[in-house]
């Protein structure tokens, strides 16, 4: 089989990159589902790559979740020689405070002696309220920064895990289940073909905005995310760099 020939991580990276038809894949040893330190390794691998792609001035939009929180933990002061501004990619899709994009941005800024912005916009509010928020000067400023970001770092979640983690209404849960969602990324739920079956309405980065962004990191590992990663990568912009682990890479390539 194909697997017999894949021994080292670099072979896996090559095979996975070809399979996903994406710019680059970075694979770290281990299984995120089994050992929590692998998340930290995903973070280190992402940052290691990012270091070489920084400009003098950078706006980095980040999402929430435990994986991106681990990326923040892995940041060090050797990033402080470049100008960095961390902005939450989307407002309001919060889980616990520690893993919210706003908090992660704050940690990232602290670790690198740089700046960050916050975006506090509640979920599930009416269209009118959204319009109101969008035009509020500070929110408007954050949204412009998000759209002009040169780097995005986001997680990929397993759909039902994410839907349960968030306070998803019964009605939306029905859409997610009936739509056979398997993946979630920045508030969008995707089925196996990468089609959007549900979208959490929050302001901030939208799927179509990704096309204009130079460097995008999708950071997700663990065998439990095999379907999610596969589905999301079907529609991910081709300049997405997937940062993942060995265990799920092997499972995906096994088909
Ligand atoms: O959008 C995806 C989620 O942020 C992934 O969350 O990193 O805690 O699995 P996680």
């Amino acid at each position: 089989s194909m697997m017999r020939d894949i021994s080292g991580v670099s072979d896996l990276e090559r095979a996975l990159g070809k399979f996903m038809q994406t710019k680059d894949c970075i694979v770290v040893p281990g299984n995120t589902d089994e050992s929590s330190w692998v998340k930290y390794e995903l973070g280190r691998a992402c940052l290691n790559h990012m270091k070489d792609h920084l400009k003098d001035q950078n706006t980095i939009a980040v999402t929430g979740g435990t994986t991106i929180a681990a990326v923040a933990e892995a940041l060090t002061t050797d990033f402080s020689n470049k100008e960095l501004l961390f902005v939450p990619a989307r407002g309001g899709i919060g889980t616990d405070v520690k893993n919210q994009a706003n908090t992660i941005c704050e940690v990232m800024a602290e670790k690198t002696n740089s700046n960050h912005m916050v975006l506090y916009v509640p979920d599930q509010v009416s269209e009118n309220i959204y319009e109101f928020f969008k035009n509020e000067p500070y929110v408007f400023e954050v949204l412009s920064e998000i759209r002009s970001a040169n780097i995005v770092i986001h997680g990929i979640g397993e759909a039902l895990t994410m839907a349960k983690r968030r306070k998803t209404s019964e009605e939306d849960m029905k859409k997610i289940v009936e739509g056979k969602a398997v993946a979630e990324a920045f508030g969008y739920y995707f089925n196996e073909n990468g089609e959007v079956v549900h979208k959490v309405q929050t302001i901030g980065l939208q799927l179509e905005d990704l096309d204009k962004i130079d460097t995008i990191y999708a950071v997700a590992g663990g065998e439990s995310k095999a379907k999610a990663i596969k589905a999301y990568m079907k529609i991910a912009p081709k300049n997405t760099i997937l940062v993942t682990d060995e265990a799920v890479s092997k499972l995906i390539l096994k088909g």
Side-chain angles (χ1 to χ4, degrees):
S1 78
M2 187 183 179
M3 286 311 298
R4 212 176 307 137
D5 307 315
I6 297 169
S7 46
V9 151
S10 57
D11 288 336
L12 260 180
E13 287 175 339
R14 228 169 295 128
L16 198 64
K18 207 170 156 195
F19 180 87
M20 299 291 190
Q21 290 178 23
T22 197
K23 188 174 166 187
D24 232 331
C25 284
I26 302 169
V27 177
V28 306
N31 181 353
T32 305
D33 287 342
E34 277 166 17
S35 5
S36 55
W37 54 263
V38 180
K39 257 180 208 176
Y40 187 81
E41 290 306 314
L42 291 175
R44 287 207 326 165
C46 172
L47 295 169
N48 222 8
H49 191 283
M50 191 177 89
K51 203 179 268 178
D52 299 329
H53 291 78
L54 290 174
K55 303 196 287 194
D56 289 336
Q57 282 186 329
N58 303 274
T59 301
I60 306 173
V62 300
T63 67
T66 58
T67 313
I68 308 307
V71 178
E73 285 311 313
L75 264 170
T76 53
T77 42
D78 38 307
F79 282 85
S80 7
N81 60 338
K82 293 273 166 44
E83 202 174 303
L84 310 175
L85 171 66
F86 294 98
V87 291
R90 295 188 68 170
I93 28 181
T95 49
D96 53 316
V97 172
K98 203 173 98 225
N99 297 320
Q100 268 174 20
N102 283 312
T103 314
I104 293 172
C105 282
E106 193 185 328
V107 173
M108 288 178 160
E110 235 165 62
K111 292 226 169 201
T112 55
N113 300 317
S114 49
N115 297 315
H116 74 100
M117 293 179 113
V118 292
L119 187 56
Y120 290 120
V121 181
D123 282 341
Q124 337 238 359
V125 296
S126 68
E127 208 56 60
N128 294 346
I129 302 279
Y130 272 110
E131 289 311 311
F132 170 82
F133 268 112
K134 272 189 217 169
N135 297 317
E136 203 275 321
Y138 181 75
V139 173
F140 187 84
E141 205 186 314
V142 182
L143 293 177
S144 321
E145 286 295 347
I146 292 170
R147 286 195 200 105
S148 63
N150 58 312
I151 299 175
V152 168
I153 308 175
H154 72 86
I156 303 171
E158 194 278 314
L160 291 181
T161 309
M162 292 311 296
K164 280 177 204 151
R165 201 194 281 178
R166 291 172 183 155
K167 289 191 180 80
T168 306
S169 71
E170 223 171 283
E171 195 189 329
D172 289 348
M173 202 58 162
K174 209 170 156 220
K175 271 172 78 184
I176 292 165
V177 172
E178 285 176 2
K180 297 193 171 70
V182 295
E184 185 278 341
F186 32 81
Y188 291 79
Y189 288 82
F190 306 89
N191 67 14
E192 247 169 354
N193 301 322
E195 291 152 354
V196 177
V197 299
H198 176 63
K199 175 182 183 240
V200 179
Q201 196 194 21
T202 66
I203 60 176
L205 190 80
Q206 307 297 317
L207 202 49
E208 56 269 25
D209 297 330
L210 287 180
D211 291 331
K212 286 167 247 137
I213 295 180
D214 294 344
T215 312
I216 306 165
Y217 294 98
V219 193
E223 288 176 325
S224 59
K225 289 190 180 178
K227 277 188 180 167
I229 294 170
K230 227 168 120 175
Y232 175 72
M233 289 309 289
K234 279 191 181 154
I235 57 93
K238 294 302 160 209
N239 52 341
T240 301
I241 299 152
L242 175 66
V243 185
T244 189
D245 69 30
E246 190 185 358
V248 72
S249 302
K250 285 184 173 165
L251 191 61
I252 289 170
L253 290 171
K254 242 192 264 173

